[in-house]
Every structure is written in structure tokens, then in C-alpha cells.
PDB file of all heavy atoms in Angstrom:
ATOM      1  N   ALA O  18      91.939 100.026 118.259  1.00 97.00           N
ATOM      2  CA  ALA O  18      90.887 100.809 118.915  1.00 97.00           C
ATOM      3  C   ALA O  18      91.472 101.672 120.016  1.00 97.00           C
ATOM      4  O   ALA O  18      92.391 101.264 120.750  1.00 97.00           O
ATOM      5  CB  ALA O  18      89.830  99.881 119.488  1.00 97.00           C
ATOM      6  N   CYS O  19      90.960 102.900 120.113  1.00 96.00           N
ATOM      7  CA  CYS O  19      91.293 103.792 121.212  1.00 96.00           C
ATOM      8  C   CYS O  19      89.971 104.251 121.843  1.00 96.00           C
ATOM      9  O   CYS O  19      88.931 103.609 121.637  1.00 96.00           O
ATOM     10  CB  CYS O  19      92.095 104.993 120.714  1.00 96.00           C
ATOM     11  SG  CYS O  19      91.184 106.033 119.552  1.00 96.00           S
ATOM     12  N   GLY O  20      89.991 105.354 122.556  1.00 91.00           N
ATOM     13  CA  GLY O  20      88.754 105.815 123.181  1.00 91.00           C
ATOM     14  C   GLY O  20      87.786 106.467 122.225  1.00 91.00           C
ATOM     15  O   GLY O  20      86.615 106.640 122.558  1.00 91.00           O
ATOM     16  N   CYS O  21      88.242 106.840 121.010  1.00 95.00           N
ATOM     17  CA  CYS O  21      87.352 107.583 120.113  1.00 95.00           C
ATOM     18  C   CYS O  21      87.074 106.901 118.784  1.00 95.00           C
ATOM     19  O   CYS O  21      86.056 107.177 118.158  1.00 95.00           O
ATOM     20  CB  CYS O  21      87.923 108.981 119.857  1.00 95.00           C
ATOM     21  SG  CYS O  21      89.353 109.028 118.716  1.00 95.00           S
ATOM     22  N   THR O  22      87.957 106.027 118.314  1.00 95.00           N
ATOM     23  CA  THR O  22      87.850 105.516 116.959  1.00 95.00           C
ATOM     24  C   THR O  22      88.368 104.092 116.877  1.00 95.00           C
ATOM     25  O   THR O  22      89.186 103.670 117.702  1.00 95.00           O
ATOM     26  CB  THR O  22      88.664 106.396 115.973  1.00 95.00           C
ATOM     27  OG1 THR O  22      88.368 107.774 116.189  1.00 95.00           O
ATOM     28  CG2 THR O  22      88.363 106.050 114.516  1.00 95.00           C
ATOM     29  N   ARG O  23      87.877 103.367 115.867  1.00 97.00           N
ATOM     30  CA  ARG O  23      88.452 102.060 115.528  1.00 97.00           C
ATOM     31  C   ARG O  23      89.001 102.126 114.114  1.00 97.00           C
ATOM     32  O   ARG O  23      88.339 102.607 113.192  1.00 97.00           O
ATOM     33  CB  ARG O  23      87.387 100.970 115.643  1.00 97.00           C
ATOM     34  CG  ARG O  23      86.868 100.793 117.078  1.00 97.00           C
ATOM     35  CD  ARG O  23      86.142  99.472 117.232  1.00 97.00           C
ATOM     36  NE  ARG O  23      84.983  99.392 116.365  1.00 97.00           N
ATOM     37  CZ  ARG O  23      84.342  98.243 116.073  1.00 97.00           C
ATOM     38  NH1 ARG O  23      84.793  97.097 116.582  1.00 97.00           N
ATOM     39  NH2 ARG O  23      83.282  98.251 115.304  1.00 97.00           N
ATOM     40  N   TYR O  24      90.231 101.640 113.965  1.00 98.00           N
ATOM     41  CA  TYR O  24      90.932 101.704 112.686  1.00 98.00           C
ATOM     42  C   TYR O  24      91.239 100.297 112.181  1.00 98.00           C
ATOM     43  O   TYR O  24      91.600  99.416 112.961  1.00 98.00           O
ATOM     44  CB  TYR O  24      92.248 102.470 112.831  1.00 98.00           C
ATOM     45  CG  TYR O  24      92.119 103.891 113.297  1.00 98.00           C
ATOM     46  CD1 TYR O  24      92.350 104.230 114.627  1.00 98.00           C
ATOM     47  CD2 TYR O  24      91.786 104.915 112.415  1.00 98.00           C
ATOM     48  CE1 TYR O  24      92.252 105.548 115.067  1.00 98.00           C
ATOM     49  CE2 TYR O  24      91.690 106.232 112.839  1.00 98.00           C
ATOM     50  CZ  TYR O  24      91.930 106.552 114.172  1.00 98.00           C
ATOM     51  OH  TYR O  24      91.829 107.845 114.595  1.00 98.00           O
ATOM     52  N   PRO O  25      91.164 100.091 110.852  1.00 97.00           N
ATOM     53  CA  PRO O  25      91.482  98.765 110.314  1.00 97.00           C
ATOM     54  C   PRO O  25      92.972  98.563 110.129  1.00 97.00           C
ATOM     55  O   PRO O  25      93.724  99.516 109.912  1.00 97.00           O
ATOM     56  CB  PRO O  25      90.758  98.783 108.955  1.00 97.00           C
ATOM     57  CG  PRO O  25      90.760 100.237 108.553  1.00 97.00           C
ATOM     58  CD  PRO O  25      90.647 101.020 109.829  1.00 97.00           C
ATOM     59  N   VAL O  26      93.388  97.311 110.199  1.00 97.00           N
ATOM     60  CA  VAL O  26      94.747  96.900 109.850  1.00 97.00           C
ATOM     61  C   VAL O  26      94.596  95.830 108.778  1.00 97.00           C
ATOM     62  O   VAL O  26      94.024  94.764 109.036  1.00 97.00           O
ATOM     63  CB  VAL O  26      95.531  96.340 111.054  1.00 97.00           C
ATOM     64  CG1 VAL O  26      96.933  95.891 110.620  1.00 97.00           C
ATOM     65  CG2 VAL O  26      95.629  97.378 112.161  1.00 97.00           C
ATOM     66  N   LEU O  27      95.088  96.106 107.574  1.00 97.00           N
ATOM     67  CA  LEU O  27      94.946  95.173 106.452  1.00 97.00           C
ATOM     68  C   LEU O  27      96.307  94.614 106.053  1.00 97.00           C
ATOM     69  O   LEU O  27      97.184  95.357 105.626  1.00 97.00           O
ATOM     70  CB  LEU O  27      94.324  95.891 105.248  1.00 97.00           C
ATOM     71  CG  LEU O  27      92.802  95.858 105.112  1.00 97.00           C
ATOM     72  CD1 LEU O  27      92.382  96.655 103.895  1.00 97.00           C
ATOM     73  CD2 LEU O  27      92.308  94.419 105.005  1.00 97.00           C
ATOM     74  N   GLU O  28      96.480  93.324 106.242  1.00 96.00           N
ATOM     75  CA  GLU O  28      97.714  92.630 105.839  1.00 96.00           C
ATOM     76  C   GLU O  28      98.957  93.351 106.339  1.00 96.00           C
ATOM     77  O   GLU O  28      99.898  93.614 105.602  1.00 96.00           O
ATOM     78  CB  GLU O  28      97.744  92.438 104.325  1.00 96.00           C
ATOM     79  CG  GLU O  28      96.604  91.572 103.842  1.00 96.00           C
ATOM     80  CD  GLU O  28      96.825  90.999 102.457  1.00 96.00           C
ATOM     81  OE1 GLU O  28      97.744  91.447 101.760  1.00 96.00           O
ATOM     82  OE2 GLU O  28      96.062  90.080 102.086  1.00 96.00           O
ATOM     83  N   GLY O  29      98.958  93.693 107.624  1.00 95.00           N
ATOM     84  CA  GLY O  29     100.115  94.306 108.252  1.00 95.00           C
ATOM     85  C   GLY O  29     100.202  95.801 108.108  1.00 95.00           C
ATOM     86  O   GLY O  29     101.161  96.415 108.595  1.00 95.00           O
ATOM     87  N   VAL O  30      99.230  96.451 107.459  1.00 97.00           N
ATOM     88  CA  VAL O  30      99.265  97.890 107.224  1.00 97.00           C
ATOM     89  C   VAL O  30      98.116  98.569 107.988  1.00 97.00           C
ATOM     90  O   VAL O  30      96.953  98.458 107.578  1.00 97.00           O
ATOM     91  CB  VAL O  30      99.160  98.215 105.721  1.00 97.00           C
ATOM     92  CG1 VAL O  30      99.166  99.739 105.520  1.00 97.00           C
ATOM     93  CG2 VAL O  30     100.300  97.566 104.955  1.00 97.00           C
ATOM     94  N   PRO O  31      98.402  99.275 109.092  1.00 98.00           N
ATOM     95  CA  PRO O  31      97.359 100.047 109.771  1.00 98.00           C
ATOM     96  C   PRO O  31      96.876 101.199 108.894  1.00 98.00           C
ATOM     97  O   PRO O  31      97.671 101.859 108.217  1.00 98.00           O
ATOM     98  CB  PRO O  31      98.058 100.578 111.026  1.00 98.00           C
ATOM     99  CG  PRO O  31      99.265  99.701 111.203  1.00 98.00           C
ATOM    100  CD  PRO O  31      99.681  99.303 109.813  1.00 98.00           C
ATOM    101  N   ILE O  32      95.574 101.441 108.900  1.00 98.00           N
ATOM    102  CA  ILE O  32      94.975 102.560 108.148  1.00 98.00           C
ATOM    103  C   ILE O  32      94.440 103.537 109.187  1.00 98.00           C
ATOM    104  O   ILE O  32      93.377 103.353 109.758  1.00 98.00           O
ATOM    105  CB  ILE O  32      93.870 102.065 107.214  1.00 98.00           C
ATOM    106  CG1 ILE O  32      94.450 101.063 106.195  1.00 98.00           C
ATOM    107  CG2 ILE O  32      93.213 103.247 106.491  1.00 98.00           C
ATOM    108  CD1 ILE O  32      93.410 100.379 105.338  1.00 98.00           C
ATOM    109  N   LEU O  33      95.231 104.598 109.453  1.00 98.00           N
ATOM    110  CA  LEU O  33      94.938 105.504 110.561  1.00 98.00           C
ATOM    111  C   LEU O  33      94.412 106.849 110.038  1.00 98.00           C
ATOM    112  O   LEU O  33      94.983 107.903 110.282  1.00 98.00           O
ATOM    113  CB  LEU O  33      96.192 105.700 111.392  1.00 98.00           C
ATOM    114  CG  LEU O  33      96.701 104.405 112.064  1.00 98.00           C
ATOM    115  CD1 LEU O  33      98.147 104.543 112.513  1.00 98.00           C
ATOM    116  CD2 LEU O  33      95.809 104.046 113.229  1.00 98.00           C
ATOM    117  N   MET O  34      93.337 106.771 109.293  1.00 94.00           N
ATOM    118  CA  MET O  34      92.711 107.989 108.792  1.00 94.00           C
ATOM    119  C   MET O  34      91.228 107.714 108.568  1.00 94.00           C
ATOM    120  O   MET O  34      90.816 106.553 108.480  1.00 94.00           O
ATOM    121  CB  MET O  34      93.376 108.461 107.487  1.00 94.00           C
ATOM    122  CG  MET O  34      93.341 107.482 106.343  1.00 94.00           C
ATOM    123  SD  MET O  34      94.241 108.151 104.915  1.00 94.00           S
ATOM    124  CE  MET O  34      93.825 106.889 103.684  1.00 94.00           C
ATOM    125  N   LYS O  35      90.456 108.782 108.473  1.00 87.00           N
ATOM    126  CA  LYS O  35      89.012 108.643 108.358  1.00 87.00           C
ATOM    127  C   LYS O  35      88.505 108.924 106.952  1.00 87.00           C
ATOM    128  O   LYS O  35      87.319 108.741 106.678  1.00 87.00           O
ATOM    129  CB  LYS O  35      88.331 109.584 109.357  1.00 87.00           C
ATOM    130  CG  LYS O  35      88.663 109.223 110.814  1.00 87.00           C
ATOM    131  CD  LYS O  35      88.015 110.177 111.806  1.00 87.00           C
ATOM    132  CE  LYS O  35      88.377 109.789 113.232  1.00 87.00           C
ATOM    133  NZ  LYS O  35      87.786 110.721 114.228  1.00 87.00           N
ATOM    134  N   ARG O  36      89.382 109.348 106.057  1.00 87.00           N
ATOM    135  CA  ARG O  36      88.991 109.580 104.674  1.00 87.00           C
ATOM    136  C   ARG O  36      88.845 108.252 103.945  1.00 87.00           C
ATOM    137  O   ARG O  36      89.362 107.226 104.420  1.00 87.00           O
ATOM    138  CB  ARG O  36      90.011 110.467 103.963  1.00 87.00           C
ATOM    139  CG  ARG O  36      91.409 109.887 103.898  1.00 87.00           C
ATOM    140  CD  ARG O  36      92.261 110.661 102.900  1.00 87.00           C
ATOM    141  NE  ARG O  36      91.791 110.417 101.555  1.00 87.00           N
ATOM    142  CZ  ARG O  36      92.073 111.196 100.520  1.00 87.00           C
ATOM    143  NH1 ARG O  36      92.793 112.284 100.690  1.00 87.00           N
ATOM    144  NH2 ARG O  36      91.618 110.902  99.319  1.00 87.00           N
ATOM    145  N   PRO O  37      88.170 108.225 102.816  1.00 92.00           N
ATOM    146  CA  PRO O  37      88.034 106.965 102.070  1.00 92.00           C
ATOM    147  C   PRO O  37      89.398 106.387 101.671  1.00 92.00           C
ATOM    148  O   PRO O  37      90.357 107.137 101.422  1.00 92.00           O
ATOM    149  CB  PRO O  37      87.226 107.368 100.836  1.00 92.00           C
ATOM    150  CG  PRO O  37      86.506 108.606 101.232  1.00 92.00           C
ATOM    151  CD  PRO O  37      87.416 109.315 102.176  1.00 92.00           C
ATOM    152  N   VAL O  38      89.477 105.072 101.609  1.00 94.00           N
ATOM    153  CA  VAL O  38      90.726 104.379 101.281  1.00 94.00           C
ATOM    154  C   VAL O  38      90.607 103.879  99.851  1.00 94.00           C
ATOM    155  O   VAL O  38      90.135 102.781  99.586  1.00 94.00           O
ATOM    156  CB  VAL O  38      90.981 103.209 102.250  1.00 94.00           C
ATOM    157  CG1 VAL O  38      92.349 102.579 101.969  1.00 94.00           C
ATOM    158  CG2 VAL O  38      90.910 103.677 103.691  1.00 94.00           C
ATOM    159  N   GLY O  39      90.998 104.724  98.907  1.00 89.00           N
ATOM    160  CA  GLY O  39      90.848 104.363  97.501  1.00 89.00           C
ATOM    161  C   GLY O  39      92.108 104.602  96.709  1.00 89.00           C
ATOM    162  O   GLY O  39      93.219 104.537  97.238  1.00 89.00           O
ATOM    163  N   ILE O  40      91.959 104.906  95.426  1.00 88.00           N
ATOM    164  CA  ILE O  40      93.068 105.163  94.512  1.00 88.00           C
ATOM    165  C   ILE O  40      93.115 106.651  94.227  1.00 88.00           C
ATOM    166  O   ILE O  40      92.128 107.220  93.753  1.00 88.00           O
ATOM    167  CB  ILE O  40      92.916 104.371  93.199  1.00 88.00           C
ATOM    168  CG1 ILE O  40      92.682 102.877  93.478  1.00 88.00           C
ATOM    169  CG2 ILE O  40      94.132 104.578  92.311  1.00 88.00           C
ATOM    170  CD1 ILE O  40      93.841 102.178  94.159  1.00 88.00           C
ATOM    171  N   ILE O  41      94.223 107.292  94.520  1.00 84.00           N
ATOM    172  CA  ILE O  41      94.356 108.740  94.401  1.00 84.00           C
ATOM    173  C   ILE O  41      95.269 109.074  93.230  1.00 84.00           C
ATOM    174  O   ILE O  41      96.323 108.457  93.049  1.00 84.00           O
ATOM    175  CB  ILE O  41      94.900 109.348  95.707  1.00 84.00           C
ATOM    176  CG1 ILE O  41      93.930 109.017  96.856  1.00 84.00           C
ATOM    177  CG2 ILE O  41      95.081 110.857  95.585  1.00 84.00           C
ATOM    178  CD1 ILE O  41      94.475 109.308  98.214  1.00 84.00           C
ATOM    179  N   SER O  42      94.883 110.036  92.423  1.00 80.00           N
ATOM    180  CA  SER O  42      95.643 110.417  91.237  1.00 80.00           C
ATOM    181  C   SER O  42      96.954 111.096  91.593  1.00 80.00           C
ATOM    182  O   SER O  42      97.010 111.929  92.489  1.00 80.00           O
ATOM    183  CB  SER O  42      94.820 111.360  90.358  1.00 80.00           C
ATOM    184  OG  SER O  42      95.609 111.916  89.333  1.00 80.00           O
ATOM    185  N   HIS O  43      98.025 110.750  90.853  1.00 77.00           N
ATOM    186  CA  HIS O  43      99.306 111.435  91.032  1.00 77.00           C
ATOM    187  C   HIS O  43      99.358 112.740  90.251  1.00 77.00           C
ATOM    188  O   HIS O  43     100.324 113.497  90.384  1.00 77.00           O
ATOM    189  CB  HIS O  43     100.461 110.533  90.587  1.00 77.00           C
ATOM    190  CG  HIS O  43     100.778 109.442  91.563  1.00 77.00           C
ATOM    191  ND1 HIS O  43     101.640 109.609  92.597  1.00 77.00           N
ATOM    192  CD2 HIS O  43     100.305 108.186  91.668  1.00 77.00           C
ATOM    193  CE1 HIS O  43     101.727 108.491  93.310  1.00 77.00           C
ATOM    194  NE2 HIS O  43     100.925 107.614  92.754  1.00 77.00           N
ATOM    195  N   TRP O  44      98.354 112.983  89.425  1.00 69.00           N
ATOM    196  CA  TRP O  44      98.314 114.249  88.689  1.00 69.00           C
ATOM    197  C   TRP O  44      97.855 115.388  89.579  1.00 69.00           C
ATOM    198  O   TRP O  44      98.486 116.443  89.641  1.00 69.00           O
ATOM    199  CB  TRP O  44      97.351 114.140  87.501  1.00 69.00           C
ATOM    200  CG  TRP O  44      97.849 113.378  86.310  1.00 69.00           C
ATOM    201  CD1 TRP O  44      97.265 112.277  85.749  1.00 69.00           C
ATOM    202  CD2 TRP O  44      99.006 113.636  85.503  1.00 69.00           C
ATOM    203  NE1 TRP O  44      97.995 111.838  84.661  1.00 69.00           N
ATOM    204  CE2 TRP O  44      99.051 112.666  84.486  1.00 69.00           C
ATOM    205  CE3 TRP O  44     100.004 114.604  85.554  1.00 69.00           C
ATOM    206  CZ2 TRP O  44     100.067 112.623  83.543  1.00 69.00           C
ATOM    207  CZ3 TRP O  44     101.021 114.566  84.609  1.00 69.00           C
ATOM    208  CH2 TRP O  44     101.038 113.591  83.612  1.00 69.00           C
ATOM    209  N   ASP O  45      96.716 115.184  90.262  1.00 70.00           N
ATOM    210  CA  ASP O  45      96.112 116.304  90.982  1.00 70.00           C
ATOM    211  C   ASP O  45      95.560 115.917  92.356  1.00 70.00           C
ATOM    212  O   ASP O  45      94.822 116.704  92.969  1.00 70.00           O
ATOM    213  CB  ASP O  45      94.982 116.909  90.150  1.00 70.00           C
ATOM    214  CG  ASP O  45      93.949 115.865  89.714  1.00 70.00           C
ATOM    215  OD1 ASP O  45      93.970 114.738  90.239  1.00 70.00           O
ATOM    216  OD2 ASP O  45      93.138 116.173  88.821  1.00 70.00           O
ATOM    217  N   ASP O  46      95.921 114.731  92.869  1.00 73.00           N
ATOM    218  CA  ASP O  46      95.475 114.254  94.197  1.00 73.00           C
ATOM    219  C   ASP O  46      93.967 114.089  94.315  1.00 73.00           C
ATOM    220  O   ASP O  46      93.427 114.051  95.411  1.00 73.00           O
ATOM    221  CB  ASP O  46      95.969 115.181  95.303  1.00 73.00           C
ATOM    222  CG  ASP O  46      97.456 115.056  95.551  1.00 73.00           C
ATOM    223  OD1 ASP O  46      98.038 114.061  95.109  1.00 73.00           O
ATOM    224  OD2 ASP O  46      98.043 115.961  96.174  1.00 73.00           O
ATOM    225  N   THR O  47      93.265 113.997  93.191  1.00 77.00           N
ATOM    226  CA  THR O  47      91.828 113.692  93.230  1.00 77.00           C
ATOM    227  C   THR O  47      91.614 112.185  93.321  1.00 77.00           C
ATOM    228  O   THR O  47      92.524 111.395  93.044  1.00 77.00           O
ATOM    229  CB  THR O  47      91.115 114.251  91.994  1.00 77.00           C
ATOM    230  OG1 THR O  47      91.717 113.673  90.821  1.00 77.00           O
ATOM    231  CG2 THR O  47      91.239 115.753  91.931  1.00 77.00           C
ATOM    232  N   ASP O  48      90.410 111.791  93.708  1.00 79.00           N
ATOM    233  CA  ASP O  48      90.101 110.369  93.850  1.00 79.00           C
ATOM    234  C   ASP O  48      89.768 109.751  92.498  1.00 79.00           C
ATOM    235  O   ASP O  48      88.822 110.177  91.821  1.00 79.00           O
ATOM    236  CB  ASP O  48      88.914 110.156  94.800  1.00 79.00           C
ATOM    237  CG  ASP O  48      89.271 110.472  96.239  1.00 79.00           C
ATOM    238  OD1 ASP O  48      90.418 110.200  96.634  1.00 79.00           O
ATOM    239  OD2 ASP O  48      88.410 111.014  96.961  1.00 79.00           O
ATOM    240  N   ILE O  49      90.527 108.747  92.089  1.00 82.00           N
ATOM    241  CA  ILE O  49      90.193 107.932  90.928  1.00 82.00           C
ATOM    242  C   ILE O  49      89.101 106.948  91.320  1.00 82.00           C
ATOM    243  O   ILE O  49      88.154 106.691  90.585  1.00 82.00           O
ATOM    244  CB  ILE O  49      91.438 107.215  90.391  1.00 82.00           C
ATOM    245  CG1 ILE O  49      92.410 108.237  89.800  1.00 82.00           C
ATOM    246  CG2 ILE O  49      91.074 106.165  89.344  1.00 82.00           C
ATOM    247  CD1 ILE O  49      93.747 107.641  89.418  1.00 82.00           C
ATOM    248  N   SER O  50      89.296 106.369  92.487  1.00 84.00           N
ATOM    249  CA  SER O  50      88.280 105.490  93.085  1.00 84.00           C
ATOM    250  C   SER O  50      88.210 105.838  94.551  1.00 84.00           C
ATOM    251  O   SER O  50      89.226 105.769  95.264  1.00 84.00           O
ATOM    252  CB  SER O  50      88.655 104.021  92.892  1.00 84.00           C
ATOM    253  OG  SER O  50      87.734 103.178  93.541  1.00 84.00           O
ATOM    254  N   GLN O  51      87.043 106.232  95.019  1.00 86.00           N
ATOM    255  CA  GLN O  51      86.955 106.754  96.370  1.00 86.00           C
ATOM    256  C   GLN O  51      87.224 105.687  97.430  1.00 86.00           C
ATOM    257  O   GLN O  51      87.856 105.941  98.442  1.00 86.00           O
ATOM    258  CB  GLN O  51      85.592 107.400  96.608  1.00 86.00           C
ATOM    259  CG  GLN O  51      85.555 108.246  97.863  1.00 86.00           C
ATOM    260  CD  GLN O  51      84.295 109.083  97.944  1.00 86.00           C
ATOM    261  OE1 GLN O  51      83.198 108.534  98.023  1.00 86.00           O
ATOM    262  NE2 GLN O  51      84.454 110.392  97.932  1.00 86.00           N
ATOM    263  N   GLY O  52      86.762 104.475  97.189  1.00 91.00           N
ATOM    264  CA  GLY O  52      87.045 103.398  98.126  1.00 91.00           C
ATOM    265  C   GLY O  52      86.191 103.445  99.373  1.00 91.00           C
ATOM    266  O   GLY O  52      85.441 104.390  99.616  1.00 91.00           O
TER     267      GLY O  52
END
């Protein structure tokens, strides 16, 4: 947590972004699963 946002840490991996945390295609960077 900072003054503006709270970010999750899952099993030792901080997630420091506000976009959905899903599965992203290696073909075209589109969301396979938005998460």
C-alpha cells in the first residue's frame, strides 16, 4: 500500500499494475482470459 493504491502480492510476486491479471496471448497480446 502507498498513498494512492493497494497492490496484491501473490506467493512472493508483487502485482504492480491496475489492468486485469489474466492470460495474455503471445500471438497478438490480446486477453485469452481477462482475469
Side-chain angles (χ1 to χ4, degrees):
C19 63
C21 75
T22 312
R23 296 197 299 164
Y24 300 100
V26 178
L27 269 178
E28 298 198 347
V30 179
I32 299 173
L33 297 163
M34 60 183 188
K35 297 178 181 179
R36 60 166 291 161
V38 185
I40 307 296
I41 301 168
S42 170
H43 285 272
W44 284 122
D45 54 13
D46 288 343
T47 58
D48 290 325
I49 292 172
S50 176
Q51 194 169 63

